[in-house]
């Protein structure tokens, strides 16, 4: 069973009570490092954070344009059941608003095999042009997402297979606990962990057109090689958390930008007197018999070796791979060497007006294309738009890693033609498309993305529509991350997860890669509390 954050914090305090205070070095000021440092400092421990960058947050990174508009280069959405993230957001005094996810708005678009269609019209424009089997048609029309959610029914090609195997696993508590990481590995989960998402779906989907279709509308075909266990696990975990917390399904964003969360934690840490050494990069970690020695290069390019009794390392394994590691077990080194990270590229286009609102009645959400940019996200901070929602017609259904919401029907959209500027996520892509797009220079990335978007929004090509200060990131080449997030391949869970999270003496490990909520701030925080609990037990 998945544990609530309040229970974890209470247990940590009980374990720590009446024990000696410790001096702790935290490596990295991302979300895992910040939350670990905060909990330790509030218990009275002496904490210093070393951060190679000149800012906090890691992959929680909001880009702000000169006209006041902004969007996220990294984390941008927060499911309702992510209680750990919301706990710290509340502590920072932050508020959430609804994030309009990629299948929430029926007027958003598909561009597939040269066919342009609204989500709500895909049964009329796209499906008749495809050669798919009767069973695939049955899944689309009879899967968990009902006909009332017409604009999302294509997602049943993914939802139906995942839901089927999920129910089978949930029939055995030992299998469920193994998949959640709260119990011993079982033979069934170990065998399932050998299967990729693509191979799993091919047991249900036999036509090339249907596989291409679901790959396009979810963007997942570049991840057919990822472990299916992680997708199933996400669904089971989400359901348990929603039940435990008694909250309805939903997905939100932090009002004002995701970076308000790490910056809020930074302020709390400053009030606790925690020292954060910016522009201090780690070049070596040596686990000695009694202490942990860390090699640091400071902002003046001076090198020094420092000994600590306790260290929490939140650096991604993609970064640890570049660092000299001494005294660690061969199992840890193997995990560092082999744990898989996902490639991702985002391109933010700052536009002079929100033409998608005035011309297409699109109020957030995302369009999907089979072109290199893959997904186009529209901002949820709407411009002069009134939306009236018929609550009786609402239906929400989420699936896995990407919290696919089936449909929220929005009636009577009223558009004001005086639209202000906005930020379009012109591309959010993963895998080989991210590497192909990311391999271009920044100006060329923008040109390629704008050209792709013109297939669904020709006005993007109008002179001056896209301002000169567009922004983009290819996370593989970002020197402080070396990848977007951990995303396991088949057998990574079975082979490496236990060694990934295992302490090495008084050297502890945290970060989203040290959780099964990979790719989420929630996972980073969960791992940090586990590391803190392990540390205070010493």
């Amino acid at each position: 069973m998945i544990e609530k954050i309040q229970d974890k914090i209470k247990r940590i305090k009980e374990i720590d009570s009446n024990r000696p205070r410790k001096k702790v070095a935290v490596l990295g000021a991302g979300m895992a490092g910040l939350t670990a440092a905060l909990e330790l400092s509030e218990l009275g421990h002496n904490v210093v954070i070393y951060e190679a960058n000149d800012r906090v947050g890691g992959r929680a990174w909001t880009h702000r344009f000169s006209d006041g508009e902004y969007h996220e280069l990294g984390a941008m959405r927060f499911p309702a059941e992510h209680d750990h993230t919301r706990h710290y957001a509340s502590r920072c005094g932050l508020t959430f608003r609804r994030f309009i996810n990629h299948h929430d708005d029926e007027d958003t678009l598909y561009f597939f095999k040269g066919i342009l269609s609204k989500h709500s019209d895909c049964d009329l424009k796209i499906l008749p042009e495809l050669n798919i089997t009767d069973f695939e048609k049955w899944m689309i029309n009879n899967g968990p997402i009902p006909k009332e959610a017409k604009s999302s029914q294509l997602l049943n090609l993914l939802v139906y297979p995942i839901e089927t195997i999920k129910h089978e696993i949930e029939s055995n508590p030992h299998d469920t606990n193994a998949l959640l990481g709260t119990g011993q590995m079982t033979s069934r989960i170990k065998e399932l962990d050998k299967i990729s998402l693509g191979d799993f779906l091919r047991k249900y989907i036999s036509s090339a057109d249907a596989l291409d279709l679901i790959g396009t509308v979810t963007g997942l075909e570049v991840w057919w090689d990822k472990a299916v266990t992680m997708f199933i696990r996400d669904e089971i975990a989400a359901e348990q958390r929603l039940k435990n917390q008694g909250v309805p399904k939903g997905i939100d964003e932090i009002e004002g930008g995701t970076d308000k969360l790490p910056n809020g934690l930074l302020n709390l840490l400053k009030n606790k007197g925690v020292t954060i050494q910016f522009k201090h990069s780690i070049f070596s970690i040596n686990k000695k018999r009694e202490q942990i020695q860390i090699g640091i290069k400071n902002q003046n390019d001076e090198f020094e070796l420092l000994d600590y009794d306790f260290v929490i390392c939140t650096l991604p394994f993609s970064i640890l791979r570049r660092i000299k590691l001494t005294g660690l077990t061969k199992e840890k080194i193997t995990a560092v060497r082999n744990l898989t990270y996902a490639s991702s590229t985002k391109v933010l286009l700052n536009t002079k007006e929100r033409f998608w609102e005035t011309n297409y009645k699109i109020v957030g959400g995302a369009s999907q294309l089979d072109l290199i940019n893959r997904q186009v996200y529209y901002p949820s901070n709407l411009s002069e738009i009134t939306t009236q929602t018929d609550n009786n017609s609402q239906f929400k259904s989420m699936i896995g890693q990407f919290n696919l919401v089936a449909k929220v029907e929005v009636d009577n959209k009223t558009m004001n033609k005086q639209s202000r500027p906005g930020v379009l996520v012109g591309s959010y892509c993963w895998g080989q498309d991210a590497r192909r797009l990311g391999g271009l220079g920044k100006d060329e990335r923008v040109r390629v993305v704008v050209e792709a978007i013109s297939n669904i929004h020709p006005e993007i090509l109008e002179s001056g529509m896209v301002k000169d200060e567009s922004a983009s990131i290819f996370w593989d080449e970002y020197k402080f991350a070396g990848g977007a997030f951990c995303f396991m391949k088949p057998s990574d869970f079975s082979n490496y997860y236990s060694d990934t999270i295992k302490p090495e003496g008084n050297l502890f490990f945290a970060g989203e890669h040290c959780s099964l909520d990979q790719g989420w701030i929630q996972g980073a925080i969960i791992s940090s509390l586990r590391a803190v609990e392990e540390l205070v037990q010493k």
Side-chain angles (χ1 to χ4, degrees):
M1 185 65 76
I2 291 179
E3 191 176 25
K4 295 179 181 179
I5 185 172
Q6 292 83 359
D7 296 333
K8 293 180 182 179
I9 293 176
K10 179 181 178 182
R11 185 174 63 252
I12 288 171
K13 291 179 179 179
E14 292 172 349
I15 294 171
D16 186 68
S17 179
N18 298 320
R19 293 174 182 260
R21 300 304 86 188
K22 301 175 173 68
K23 185 176 181 180
V24 184
V26 175
L27 310 185
M31 290 303 303
L34 293 171
T35 51
L38 180 62
E39 293 301 331
L40 288 168
S41 65
E42 291 190 329
L43 292 171
H45 298 283
N46 185 354
V47 182
V48 58
I49 303 175
Y50 296 98
E51 169 56 51
N53 208 338
D54 59 359
R55 63 172 182 86
V56 296
R59 287 162 285 182
W61 189 4
T62 305
H63 184 86
R64 300 181 184 279
F65 294 94
S66 60
D67 60 3
E69 295 296 323
Y70 67 89
H71 217 298
E72 308 301 335
L73 291 171
M76 64 181 181
R77 48 193 170 184
F78 303 88
E81 68 271 17
H82 281 196
D83 60 326
H84 290 57
T85 307
R86 290 170 185 271
H87 169 83
Y88 289 101
S90 177
R91 291 208 53 187
C92 295
L94 304 179
T95 57
F96 288 91
R97 66 175 169 224
R98 180 188 165 203
F99 180 89
I100 304 175
N101 212 13
H102 43 65
H103 281 78
D104 284 2
D105 191 301
E106 64 181 10
D107 290 316
T108 48
L109 305 166
Y110 293 133
F111 186 75
F112 180 67
K113 295 185 183 295
I115 305 169
L116 177 62
S117 168
K118 287 185 179 181
H119 284 180
S120 57
D121 293 338
C122 64
D123 58 332
L124 301 176
K125 292 188 175 181
I126 293 179
L127 290 182
E129 303 299 320
L130 304 182
N131 183 17
I132 63 177
T133 69
D134 289 341
F135 180 61
E136 291 158 357
K137 294 175 183 176
W138 181 90
M139 280 195 290
I140 291 171
N141 292 315
N142 297 280
I145 298 174
K147 293 180 179 180
E148 292 80 5
K150 181 181 177 183
S151 61
S152 300
Q153 274 200 286
L154 292 184
L155 300 178
N156 275 326
L157 289 170
L158 173 66
V159 175
Y160 177 82
I162 294 290
E163 285 289 302
T164 299
I165 190 66
K166 178 178 76 72
H167 291 317
E168 293 177 6
I169 290 171
E170 288 177 320
S171 67
N172 186 322
H174 297 292
D175 289 335
T176 301
N177 290 334
L179 191 56
L180 292 174
T182 59
Q184 295 294 317
M185 179 63 68
T186 64
S187 57
R188 181 177 187 180
I189 298 304
K190 191 170 185 177
E191 287 301 309
L192 184 64
D193 193 42
K194 296 177 181 178
I195 302 173
S196 69
L197 175 64
D199 287 341
F200 173 77
L201 290 179
R202 290 183 184 96
K203 296 180 180 180
Y204 297 81
I205 299 173
S206 57
S207 75
D209 277 356
L211 195 65
D212 287 348
L213 181 62
I214 191 59
T216 295
V217 302
T218 62
L220 293 178
E221 68 179 352
V222 293
W223 279 348
W224 286 154
D225 63 332
K226 301 304 180 184
V228 69
T229 44
M230 294 300 99
F231 294 89
I232 302 167
R233 182 263 171 202
D234 284 346
E235 271 300 282
I236 295 175
E239 286 189 1
Q240 285 198 9
R241 287 173 175 146
L242 288 166
K243 183 178 179 180
N244 287 346
Q245 298 163 40
V247 297
K249 293 178 180 179
I251 193 164
D252 296 315
E253 63 182 3
I254 292 176
E255 196 147 7
T258 298
D259 64 352
K260 287 185 173 292
L261 178 54
N263 287 326
L265 293 173
L266 175 62
N267 290 333
L268 294 177
L269 288 168
K270 287 179 177 178
N271 291 336
K272 292 291 180 181
V274 174
T275 300
I276 301 182
Q277 299 283 7
F278 289 105
K279 295 185 178 180
H280 281 59
S281 59
I282 308 301
F283 66 83
S284 67
I285 300 175
N286 180 11
K287 177 185 162 293
K288 302 191 293 187
R289 179 169 296 181
E290 300 296 332
Q291 292 182 309
I292 312 299
Q293 184 179 80
I294 55 176
I296 297 175
K297 185 176 76 170
N298 64 27
Q299 57 189 339
N300 298 319
D301 289 334
E302 298 169 338
F303 294 86
E304 53 185 330
L305 298 175
L306 300 176
D307 291 335
Y308 282 89
D309 292 330
F310 300 91
V311 174
I312 296 179
C313 177
T314 72
L315 307 181
F317 279 9
S318 50
I319 299 300
L320 280 188
R321 183 67 170 143
R322 309 171 187 170
I323 292 172
K324 182 179 180 181
L325 304 175
T326 308
L328 304 187
T329 61
K330 64 182 182 188
E331 291 81 8
K332 179 68 73 174
I333 296 297
T334 299
V336 170
R337 187 171 67 246
N338 289 289
L339 199 64
T340 306
Y341 278 75
S343 299
S344 177
T345 294
K346 270 189 180 178
V347 178
L348 309 182
L349 304 177
N350 192 16
T351 62
K352 70 176 183 180
E353 63 183 63
R354 301 184 176 210
F355 58 83
W356 52 90
E357 294 176 358
T358 54
N359 298 350
Y360 298 85
K361 297 185 178 181
I362 292 174
V363 292
S367 294
Q368 294 77 36
L369 304 83
D370 58 5
L371 305 178
I372 193 171
N373 63 325
R374 286 292 182 172
Q375 300 178 95
V376 177
Y377 273 86
Y378 309 93
S380 297
N381 57 333
L382 308 183
S383 170
E384 303 181 38
I385 293 177
T386 301
T387 60
Q388 297 178 356
T389 304
D390 176 5
N391 291 323
N392 294 324
S393 69
Q394 289 187 355
F395 173 83
K396 294 185 179 181
S397 174
M398 288 188 274
I399 178 72
Q401 177 88 2
F402 307 101
N403 291 279
L404 306 181
V405 182
K407 181 184 180 185
V408 179
E409 188 171 327
V410 180
D411 299 320
N412 300 322
K413 297 176 187 175
T414 303
M415 307 297 165
N416 189 316
K417 294 186 180 298
Q418 300 300 316
S419 175
R420 66 180 173 90
V423 179
L424 197 65
V425 181
S427 176
Y428 179 27
C429 59
W430 310 304
Q432 62 183 357
D433 279 334
R435 293 188 291 274
R436 290 165 175 166
L437 189 58
L440 302 174
K442 292 185 177 180
D443 290 342
E444 184 67 4
R445 283 180 206 166
V446 170
R447 187 195 67 77
V448 169
V449 167
V450 167
E451 182 67 28
I453 295 173
S454 70
N455 287 278
I456 60 174
H457 298 307
E459 49 271 83
I460 195 78
L461 297 176
E462 293 177 9
S463 178
M465 180 62 77
V466 176
K467 298 182 180 181
D468 292 335
E469 54 175 341
S470 298
S472 66
I473 189 165
F474 174 38
W475 283 101
D476 284 21
E477 70 175 15
Y478 185 62
K479 67 178 181 178
F480 302 116
F485 46 84
C486 182
F487 201 6
M488 293 183 181
K489 287 186 177 181
S491 295
D492 278 6
F493 176 41
S494 304
N495 292 338
Y496 307 127
Y497 180 67
S498 62
D499 294 321
T500 294
I501 67 175
K502 187 177 180 181
E504 298 275 319
N506 289 341
L507 174 61
F508 306 90
F509 295 85
E512 54 86 24
H513 59 289
C514 293
S515 81
L516 293 177
D517 289 279
Q518 294 162 0
W520 295 105
I521 287 177
Q522 172 94 348
I525 297 173
I526 288 172
S527 71
S528 72
L529 294 183
R530 186 196 62 248
V532 168
E533 182 174 348
E534 292 166 342
L535 188 151
V536 299
Q537 288 175 342
K538 296 285 187 174

